[in-house]
């Protein structure tokens, strides 16, 4: 399965993946998913929001156990973020069939559409639509960098954009959803465990900082006469790092837009986007407030106008404790472990499982990523660890669907 997926959407120069929603590469991933479902005698369904479901047993029976992840990628993403969860789901089903277990509940494997939001700028569109966390109107307004709207992109790929919207009946048929994912940090590498269980997804958000000064000539304007917003922006970046360190949180300015954006021009506008995440809401609020306060102080001293706008926010997602504890019990003493209980860890990254957790009992398994690098071609997991992940997922599915 891994070898078949490997070439799809891979960029020749960067070696990274460019599997964006509703593009040819996305379609090829969907065809691969369909072939995997057919090869196993599963019933393929594509829901109104473009998410794929491969069913073993009756989809309408209810109390289904569902596992899966996504196949799309960020720009020049790695091979594991998303596909590891989908491939592991099919491999876990193969393992359960090898064990000869009897399923007492319907089982489904999913591929959620447009998880990364690389094309339209909003993550988890497929699961958000299904869960009613994104309105049809807002989804219809989404536009990519070329100006193509989501409805146009869906129609071009052969899907009906007018059919999208909340799908509560479908979600109500799910008894438990388990997503396996490559870890996007080094927690498991540090504990020495191949597999972990998610406790929660940290609250996170994006804030846009607009620093406005005065454009002028870089060669003729005396330093003391300048109102240079780049300086205030730079002070703010340093403040974000300092405040995040103090609070044990994360704060990153990773995107910037400059006007007029000339080498020999003092900028009139520097627009920077702050991404901040923390284990709890209070800490996140404290960090963002401190960064904004520092930015305002520097702006005032330098004669710079500052606007701060919160562009998005996702509150903390606590995965259901009962299901999480059940996973811990199912994985206790299993062959993939170290003899210790499987570690339970939080994550700063968003997932479809986080979106669905508002409607459905949801849990996540993480597979060790030795460098912690994610959203990059350098993202990696060792084959032994991937196999340990499949075994763990099979143990969990057996416990949930075969009682
Ligand atoms: Zn992912």
């Amino acid at each position: 399965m891994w070898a078949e997926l490997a070439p799809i959407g891979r960029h020749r120069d960067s070696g990274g993946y460019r599997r964006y929603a509703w593009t040819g590469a996305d379609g090829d991933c969907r065809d691969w998913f369909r072939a995997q479902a057919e090869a196993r005698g599963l019933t393929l369904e594509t829901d109104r929001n473009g998410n794929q479901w491969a069913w073993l047993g009756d989809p309408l029976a209810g109390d289904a156990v569902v596992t899966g992840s996504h196949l799309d990628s960020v720009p020049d993403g790695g091979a594991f973020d998303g596909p590891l969860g989908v491939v592991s789901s099919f491999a876990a089903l193969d393992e359960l069939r090898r064990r000869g277990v009897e399923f007492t509940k319907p089982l489904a494997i999913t591929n959620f559409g447009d998880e990364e939001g690389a094309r339209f700028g909003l993550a988890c569109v497929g699961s958000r639509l299904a869960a009613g966390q994104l309105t049809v109107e807002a989804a219809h307004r989404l536009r990519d960098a070329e100006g193509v709207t989501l409805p146009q992109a869906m129609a071009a790929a052969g899907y009906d954009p007018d059919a999208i919207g909340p799908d509560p009946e479908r979600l109500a048929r799910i008894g438990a959803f388990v997503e396996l994912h490559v870890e996007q940090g080094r927690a498991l590498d540090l504990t020495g465990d191949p597999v972990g269980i998610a406790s929660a997804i940290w609250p996170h958000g994006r804030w846009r900082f607009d620093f406005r000064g005065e454009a002028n000539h870089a060669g003729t304007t005396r330093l003391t006469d300048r109102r240079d917003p780049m300086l205030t922006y730079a002070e703010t970046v340093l403040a974000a790092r300092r405040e995040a360190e103090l609070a044990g949180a994360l704060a990153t300015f990773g995107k910037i837009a400059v006007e007029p954006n000339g080498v020999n021009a003092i900028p009139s506008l520097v627009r920077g986007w702050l991404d901040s995440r923390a284990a709890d809401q209070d800490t996140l609020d404290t960090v963002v407030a401190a960064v904004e306060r520092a930015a305002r102080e520097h702006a005032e001293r330098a004669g710079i106008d500052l606007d701060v706008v919160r562009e998005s926010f996702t509150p903390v997602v606590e995965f259901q404790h009962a299901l999480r504890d059940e996973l811990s019990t199912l994985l206790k003493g299993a062959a993939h472990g170290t003899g210790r209980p499987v570690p339970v860890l939080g994550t700063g990254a968003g997932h479809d499982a986080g979106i669905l957790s508002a409607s459905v009992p949801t849990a996540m398994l993480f597979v060790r990523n030795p460098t912690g690098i994610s959203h990059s071609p350098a993202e990696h997991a060792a084959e032994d660890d991937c196999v340990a992940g499949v075994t763990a997922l099979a143990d969990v599915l057996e416990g949930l669907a075969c009682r």
Side-chain angles (χ1 to χ4, degrees):
M1 284 189 275
W2 205 245
E4 285 170 12
L5 270 178
I8 300 177
R10 187 170 203 175
H11 193 258
R12 219 176 321 138
D13 299 331
S14 69
Y17 288 95
R18 299 182 181 181
R19 296 166 174 162
Y20 308 147
W22 310 117
T23 62
D26 186 49
D28 290 347
C29 287
R30 289 167 177 275
D31 289 345
W32 172 88
F33 186 94
R34 181 180 306 116
Q36 294 304 318
E38 281 169 6
R40 290 170 177 79
L42 308 177
T43 309
L44 184 85
E45 273 189 319
T46 304
D47 69 26
R48 296 186 283 109
N49 297 304
N51 307 307
Q52 290 180 299
W53 303 71
W55 283 96
L56 176 70
D58 180 3
L60 300 177
D63 201 19
V65 175
V66 182
T67 184
S69 192
H70 62 96
L71 293 173
D72 69 321
S73 79
V74 296
D76 287 328
F80 293 82
D81 182 348
L84 183 64
V86 179
V87 168
S88 296
S89 298
F90 285 117
L93 172 60
D94 296 345
E95 166 65 12
L96 291 177
R97 282 175 161 167
R98 202 160 27 237
R99 291 180 190 176
V101 299
E102 219 170 287
F103 290 89
T104 55
K105 293 177 183 177
L107 179 83
I109 296 171
T110 54
N111 167 31
F112 281 101
D114 199 4
E115 195 274 347
E116 298 287 8
R119 183 169 178 189
F120 297 102
L122 179 70
C124 301
V125 169
S127 56
R128 272 184 214 273
L129 280 168
Q133 295 179 28
L134 169 64
T135 64
V136 176
E137 296 71 33
H140 277 189
R141 283 196 300 270
L142 291 173
R143 212 172 260 280
D144 71 9
E146 263 80 61
V148 179
T149 64
L150 177 72
Q152 288 167 338
M154 283 186 79
Y159 292 80
D160 177 8
D162 293 323
I164 64 171
D167 206 350
E169 298 86 9
R170 180 176 297 273
L171 297 190
R173 290 184 221 128
I174 304 175
F177 176 72
V178 182
E179 179 171 3
L180 178 147
H181 204 278
V182 68
E183 201 202 343
Q184 294 169 289
R186 287 189 57 219
L188 291 173
D189 186 55
L190 295 172
T191 60
D193 294 277
V195 175
I197 298 170
S199 57
I201 298 177
W202 288 13
H204 55 277
R206 294 174 180 185
W207 291 261
R208 196 185 76 223
F209 285 60
D210 290 349
F211 301 91
R212 285 173 209 279
E214 187 177 44
N216 214 328
H217 195 296
T220 59
T221 316
R222 298 191 318 156
L223 294 176
T224 50
D225 292 340
R226 297 181 182 195
R227 286 173 56 220
D228 182 351
M230 187 65 82
L231 299 176
T232 315
Y233 170 69
E235 301 276 13
T236 306
V237 174
L238 297 174
R241 169 67 183 229
R242 201 166 49 238
E243 296 301 336
E245 271 173 9
L246 280 172
L250 298 169
T252 309
F253 278 96
K255 179 175 167 181
I256 183 173
V258 180
E259 289 174 13
N261 207 25
V263 177
N264 58 356
I266 299 160
S268 57
L269 168 75
V270 175
R271 177 169 283 158
W273 281 265
L274 171 70
D275 175 306
S276 190
R277 302 158 194 243
D280 61 83
Q281 178 83 51
D282 281 354
T283 307
L284 182 58
D285 291 346
T286 303
V287 169
V288 174
V291 175
E292 181 171 345
R293 198 164 50 240
R296 293 206 180 280
E297 282 168 14
H298 287 291
E300 196 172 324
R301 235 172 287 153
I304 301 299
D305 295 327
L306 172 63
D307 285 317
V308 180
V309 180
R310 190 177 84 175
E311 288 197 334
S312 71
F313 183 74
T314 309
V316 65
V317 173
E318 282 273 345
F319 290 113
Q320 201 204 48
H321 289 200
L323 184 59
R324 190 176 92 192
D325 294 346
E326 199 171 354
L327 260 60
S328 290
T329 307
L330 289 169
L331 296 179
K332 201 172 279 173
H336 46 78
T338 50
R340 301 190 301 274
V342 174
V344 178
L345 36 118
T347 173
H351 298 285
D352 291 313
I355 302 294
L356 294 182
S357 69
S359 326
V360 175
T362 300
M364 288 191 78
L365 292 174
F366 292 123
V367 171
R368 173 163 54 190
N369 174 351
T371 61
I373 292 176
S374 175
H375 287 182
S376 147
E379 176 183 277
H380 184 68
E383 191 168 330
D384 283 353
D385 289 354
C386 294
V387 172
V390 170
T391 308
L393 183 59
D395 291 348
V396 165
L397 297 177
E398 182 176 348
L400 295 176
C402 305
R403 275 172 303 197

